[in-house]
Amino acid sequence: MFCPETCLFVGTIPSWLQGTLLRNGPGLFSVGDTSYNHWFDGMSLIHSFTFKDGEVHYRSKFLKSETYKKNIAANRIVVTEFGTMAYPDPCKNIFSKAFTYLLNTIPNFTDNNLVNIIRYGEDYYAASEINFINQVNPSTLETVGRVNYRNHIALNLATAHPHYDEEGNTYNMGTSIMAMTGLKYVIFKVPATGIKDKKMPALKKLEQVCSIPARSNLYPSYFHSFGMTENYIIFVEQAFKLDIIRLATAYFRGETWGRCLNYDKDDVTLFHLIDRKTGKAVDTKFYGDAFVVFHHINAYEENGHVVFDLITFKDASLYDMFYMENMKKEIQEEGKTIPPPVSQRFVIPINADLKEVPGGTNLVKLQDTSATAVLQKDGSLFLTPDSLFEGLELPGINYKYNTKKHRYFYGSRMDWSPKITKVTKVDTVTRTYMEWTEKDCYPSEPVFVASPDAVDEDDGVILSSVVSLNPKKPPFMLVLDAKTFQEIARASINASVHLDLHGLFIHEKSQLKQPLEPTKVSTQTAL
């Protein structure tokens, strides 16, 4: 059911801004008399902001995943999510219940793809971190159909944060738990769609780049994203791990798979460098202290070094912060502290001659960073980072600088509360920052869109969907000048808009052929 609305528009949208911002995140938290326990469990609600000829058009639609269909048909939550356990229908007989438990010996992951919108070829998919993705039409937001990675490559888990190169190829990675030769991390590439291949799903051309054996078959590292430079893939094998035995028995013990993740503060972090062309890993062992990482900012090569920026945490308490009971808390509890996210820069010297220097030598030769890579007696390098900024998550850059040296990155600022209150721009050269904030406003992850005639890295705009708990303040699309961080426009939306997670901007040339009504700001929502 669609309900078009015309809404208030203030400011001026740059005439060159033509395309659609697609966003994904949890949007439905109760079904019948049942409710989700964790914010990351809510059923996916996709929304879009289409910029055309100085106007903005809004629409939203629930992802019609198999999980959504089953829950709605049963009028209750029947599929287990990250932090919410679904039990057999109490009306079922004992034989049906026993069969349900049997089916869950090996977890059958949900296809509630609520994390991001990703692109393979010219196809767009709602994605999370499981083997299922759902193709969506970026113009209508209709769900096209579910795809199983396992029909193309042996994967049980995959990230929702791929990389795109200048040729249109997509790189991603996942975990193969059931591999006969042991648990592995798998990096794969989906080639760009050629003129002759437009009718063929891009995933049919998927190629495996390489696989990395896990250091433990029972405790593989959890990863949410990875890094990429012009020549290398960077995989951080962190001390935040998935307990495979607990996962396999979780349903019997009444545990969600989110409770099968454990952080080992006494372990180390391993950094893997893989050659993009050969698929071979660099032999040298690179390692550092334990930390938790969800998002990479960017990575690049400079003067024989690989530089990569991450958002790190001292522990895994971030996930606990997003349980619904904690989301409802307005102020920090007495005595409760959540370590803030820290933007950190790591540097690996890739051309250093390890045989010609004594142990204890810092091999990083770059002058603009305090990051170190110290040679150990066994020939390994111990990395310590350079801290760039504190308190920022959901990072993004001008994507034209992906795999290249960047100066700026953007993100969302938060304190103890999971509610984001500021949009931030960080200058890595001057180590200064700019912010946008407004009372009672909660902005989403900022997305940078470059102007077509850009000269400087920050020539463009920042887009952020903003919601408010103040009933007198409607949600709106915020448009900032990325250079000055001054507001240049906002389009108020006369509809309920949800807090979201991630998304991407599709330039007009990639749009499906779908006419838009000539209204100043139109709103379409569908439940």
Side-chain angles (χ1 to χ4, degrees), residues 166-412:
E166 293 177 344
E167 287 74 41
N169 304 307
T170 303
Y171 291 81
N172 206 347
M173 70 177 296
T175 304
S176 179
I177 296 174
M178 304 302 177
M180 297 298 292
T181 55
L183 194 146
K184 295 181 178 180
Y185 310 111
V186 179
I187 298 170
F188 61 93
K189 169 186 174 181
V190 179
T193 301
I195 297 176
K196 298 179 180 180
D197 304 323
K198 288 189 177 295
K199 294 183 179 180
M200 178 191 299
L203 281 167
K204 288 188 176 294
K205 300 186 296 176
L206 184 150
E207 308 167 0
Q208 179 171 313
V209 175
C210 74
S211 63
I212 306 166
R215 52 177 158 167
S216 170
N217 285 328
L218 295 180
Y219 302 98
S221 174
Y222 167 83
F223 55 96
H224 186 74
S225 60
F226 63 101
M228 190 169 81
T229 71
E230 182 180 352
N231 294 296
Y232 296 96
I233 298 287
I234 302 155
F235 169 51
V236 179
E237 192 173 9
Q238 61 180 325
F240 189 31
K241 307 171 186 178
L242 179 62
D243 187 324
I244 296 298
I245 300 300
R246 291 183 67 179
L247 178 65
T249 60
Y251 196 83
F252 296 101
R253 293 180 292 102
E255 267 193 344
T256 62
W257 83 273
R259 294 300 185 188
C260 301
L261 290 166
N262 297 296
Y263 175 60
D264 184 357
K265 63 181 179 59
D266 298 318
D267 202 351
V268 297
T269 301
L270 295 182
F271 304 95
H272 299 275
L273 282 187
I274 299 95
D275 189 298
R276 284 174 57 182
K277 297 179 179 66
T278 67
K280 295 181 179 180
V282 175
D283 290 334
T284 305
K285 176 184 176 181
F286 309 107
Y287 72 106
D289 290 329
F291 59 79
V292 173
V293 57
F294 300 102
H295 296 112
H296 286 241
I297 299 173
N298 191 28
Y300 58 91
E301 297 165 41
E302 182 180 17
N303 297 332
H305 299 74
V306 169
V307 182
F308 53 104
D309 297 348
L310 313 172
I311 305 293
T312 68
F313 293 83
K314 290 183 178 180
D315 60 32
S317 55
L318 176 71
Y319 272 149
D320 291 336
M321 191 166 67
F322 283 91
Y323 276 96
M324 298 304 290
E325 60 183 19
N326 293 330
M327 292 281 288
K328 297 174 183 177
K329 296 174 182 176
E330 294 296 327
I331 58 174
Q332 180 174 344
E333 291 181 354
E334 184 177 354
K336 185 177 181 66
T337 58
I338 300 293
V342 181
S343 307
Q344 295 190 314
R345 172 163 293 174
F346 291 83
V347 180
I348 294 178
I350 51 177
N351 293 334
D353 188 346
L354 304 185
K355 297 179 181 180
E356 298 298 323
V357 294
T361 302
N362 173 27
L363 300 179
V364 175
K365 303 303 180 184
L366 300 181
Q367 300 300 310
D368 60 352
T369 180
S370 61
T372 66
V374 177
L375 180 64
Q376 307 298 300
K377 292 181 180 179
D378 62 358
S380 63
L381 293 182
F382 183 83
L383 310 185
T384 58
D386 175 9
S387 293
L388 303 174
F389 192 75
E390 183 175 297
L392 179 145
E393 245 292 7
L394 304 178
I397 61 169
N398 176 345
Y399 205 76
K400 291 183 178 180
Y401 286 77
N402 190 51
T403 75
K404 302 177 179 64
K405 185 173 182 178
H406 66 283
R407 176 171 179 171
Y408 306 104
F409 65 91
Y410 310 87
S412 304

Side-chain angles (χ1 to χ4, degrees), residues 109 129-131 155-159 173-177 242 257:
F109 292 118
E129 295 181 328
I130 39 105
N131 58 291
L155 288 180
N156 301 94
L157 304 168
T159 86
M173 70 177 296
T175 304
S176 179
I177 296 174
L242 179 62
W257 83 273

Side-chain angles (χ1 to χ4, degrees), residues 465-476:
S465 171
V466 183
V467 300
S468 174
L469 298 181
N470 184 343
K472 296 182 180 180
K473 182 173 290 187
F476 58 93

Side-chain angles (χ1 to χ4, degrees), residues 388-440:
L388 303 174
F389 192 75
E390 183 175 297
L392 179 145
E393 245 292 7
L394 304 178
I397 61 169
N398 176 345
Y399 205 76
K400 291 183 178 180
Y401 286 77
N402 190 51
T403 75
K404 302 177 179 64
K405 185 173 182 178
H406 66 283
R407 176 171 179 171
Y408 306 104
F409 65 91
Y410 310 87
S412 304
R413 291 201 70 182
M414 59 178 71
D415 298 315
W416 173 86
S417 168
K419 299 183 180 70
I420 295 165
T421 58
K422 300 173 183 176
V423 177
T424 305
K425 172 186 179 181
V426 178
D427 186 330
T428 66
V429 174
T430 63
R431 305 296 174 101
T432 58
Y433 66 95
M434 298 179 182
E435 289 182 338
W436 177 93
T437 187
E438 187 170 299
K439 184 179 179 181
D440 297 328

